[in-house]
Amino acid sequence: MRFDAAGLRALDWREIVTYTIWTEGPQRLAGPTLASVLEAAGARGAWLDAVALNDYRVRIPASDAGLGVIVAMERAGERMAIRDKGPLWIIYPQTEAEAQIGAHNERMIWQLREIVVR
């Protein structure tokens, strides 16, 4: 299934404040929840292979969708450009301390192109 920007905006849109090891200070990011994207696509599977524009891939447990993960399209109220980790970035809500521990850092793939459900 393919989504355009309007289709993603029609899903369960959330704005979160989170921390990452790639950015300074708290980040205000917004986009549909990963759970709503998977639901709209009718996706069923245990694993998600997230693929970036440059073909970089990460494997994410589908159960992580229940952690409040979003597919961020905006940062600080502005659409994200490719040079700024856009157009889409899988983001986990986390505290500054959690970002430093890095439990989900390897799963926060930016320049997201597609998600393959397995």
Side-chain angles (χ1 to χ4, degrees), residues 24-79:
E24 292 289 325
Q27 300 294 303
R28 185 171 52 96
L29 295 135
T33 62
L34 178 58
S36 70
V37 172
L38 297 176
E39 183 179 335
R44 304 284 182 260
W47 295 96
L48 310 174
D49 289 339
V51 184
L53 293 173
N54 66 357
D55 290 325
Y56 177 78
R57 295 171 179 267
V58 297
R59 180 157 279 187
I60 300 169
S63 60
D64 279 10
L67 300 177
V69 176
I70 66 168
V71 181
M73 294 174 56
E74 296 178 357
R75 182 167 32 190
E78 301 289 328
R79 282 294 309 263

Side-chain angles (χ1 to χ4, degrees), residues 92-110:
Y92 286 69
Q94 56 186 9
T95 65
E96 189 172 13
E98 289 169 332
Q100 296 307 312
I101 292 168
H104 298 115
N105 290 342
E106 74 280 358
R107 298 177 187 165
M108 289 198 276
I109 184 171
W110 55 78

